[in-house]
Amino acid sequence: MTDRMWSLSEFRFDQAIQAAEVSVFDDETGRFELMPRDRAIALAHAREANLVEWWPQGAVEAPQCVITKVTLPLRWEQLPEEAEPVDERLWFEASCGGRDFLVGNGNTFTGRMMAWCPQKQRSYRVSSSEIEVMPDETRYFVTGFLAGTQPGHPIDDRGDTDEADWAAWLSATRRFRRTGQWNGRWGTCQECGCVLLPDNPADHCAEHSPQAAG
Ligand SMILES: [Zn+2]
């Protein structure tokens, strides 16, 4: 499941913590202690630190908090920029006929991977369906990539999953791991009118595909 990373705008500390009581982690005892939020803030300030809400989800009754230093304006930790390293075992025959390399996630559409072309010295995005000739190393990289990036199953507001949705998700992700395609839009079968699984980019269901008929 690809849980989204949280935004810095969701970081909560001191008075921004929306709760009357908090559960504060005590470094010395290794335990949480329940106390009024304002007392916890005073305790943190007495240690020249701040009260920070620990879990990004929020909206719980007495959120778990830690005492740690916060500096304004808020900013993320910084890492030096660096290019994805190229592993030359992960080659594939590119459309130009040369050997290009898979280097990671394309971060656009589900299933798109980042590739590097050493001839043109540039990166671009590619799907597994566009790759035919590749060694075992690349094949297993793609298999792991697709399994790791498949969308999570549908849930409703209460976190429950409908039985038909669950079965559809199992089918769609199974086919996705084989094809690398995830259409991500609604569609229906032109023949029978069923709602297509979200990986299916065609205009017909598996039962009514021209290949199944022929
Ligand atoms: Zn159909």
Side-chain angles (χ1 to χ4, degrees):
M1 310 312 102
T2 32
D3 277 336
R4 261 181 200 289
M5 177 177 142
W6 46 90
S7 161
L8 189 59
S9 66
E10 297 166 55
F11 181 85
R12 298 275 177 273
F13 75 104
D14 290 354
Q15 272 77 17
I17 298 170
Q18 304 287 317
E21 283 197 313
V22 295
S23 186
V24 182
F25 186 72
D26 186 335
D27 263 340
E28 283 166 25
T29 62
R31 287 187 180 170
F32 286 94
E33 194 188 333
L34 194 67
M35 65 177 80
R37 185 201 67 176
D38 291 340
R39 207 178 103 211
I41 292 171
L43 180 70
H45 289 185
R47 296 186 191 170
E48 297 188 330
N50 303 85
L51 188 70
V52 170
E53 193 170 317
W54 217 15
W55 297 90
Q57 295 87 342
V60 291
E61 211 160 292
Q64 292 186 340
C65 293
V66 288
I67 291 175
T68 184
K69 176 182 167 162
V70 176
T71 303
L72 293 175
L74 285 178
R75 63 179 188 92
W76 283 113
E77 171 188 5
Q78 302 289 310
L79 286 185
E81 295 242 351
E82 53 188 340
E84 294 280 358
V86 174
D87 183 335
E88 300 205 338
R89 289 171 296 188
L90 300 180
W91 64 268
F92 62 94
E93 205 173 282
S95 50
C96 65
R99 280 188 178 188
D100 289 356
F101 307 104
L102 292 181
V103 291
N105 195 329
N107 294 319
T108 52
F109 301 106
T110 303
R112 294 289 270 175
M113 296 173 287
M114 195 64 90
W116 172 252
C117 175
Q119 287 86 24
K120 295 180 195 147
Q121 288 284 301
R122 68 175 187 92
S123 52
Y124 63 98
R125 292 178 179 86
V126 66
S127 293
S128 69
S129 57
E130 299 164 62
I131 301 176
E132 280 171 18
V133 179
M134 63 187 135
D136 281 348
E137 285 89 340
T138 307
R139 193 175 305 282
Y140 286 116
F141 177 93
V142 171
T143 301
F145 176 82
L146 294 178
T149 52
Q150 69 181 29
H153 61 271
I155 53 171
D156 63 20
D157 295 343
R158 291 163 49 219
D160 298 330
T161 299
D162 179 83
E163 209 176 306
D165 284 345
W166 176 259
W169 174 76
L170 286 177
S171 296
T173 50
R174 187 171 60 236
R175 186 164 56 187
F176 165 70
R177 292 193 300 273
R178 197 173 67 238
T179 65
Q181 289 183 310
W182 190 266
N183 189 43
R185 280 161 286 184
W186 289 113
T188 63
C189 174
Q190 296 309 296
E191 191 76 28
C192 69
C194 73
V195 177
L196 299 175
L197 294 173
D199 67 300
N200 189 351
D203 62 358
H204 43 259
C205 71
E207 258 178 278
H208 297 113
S209 83
Q211 283 138 315

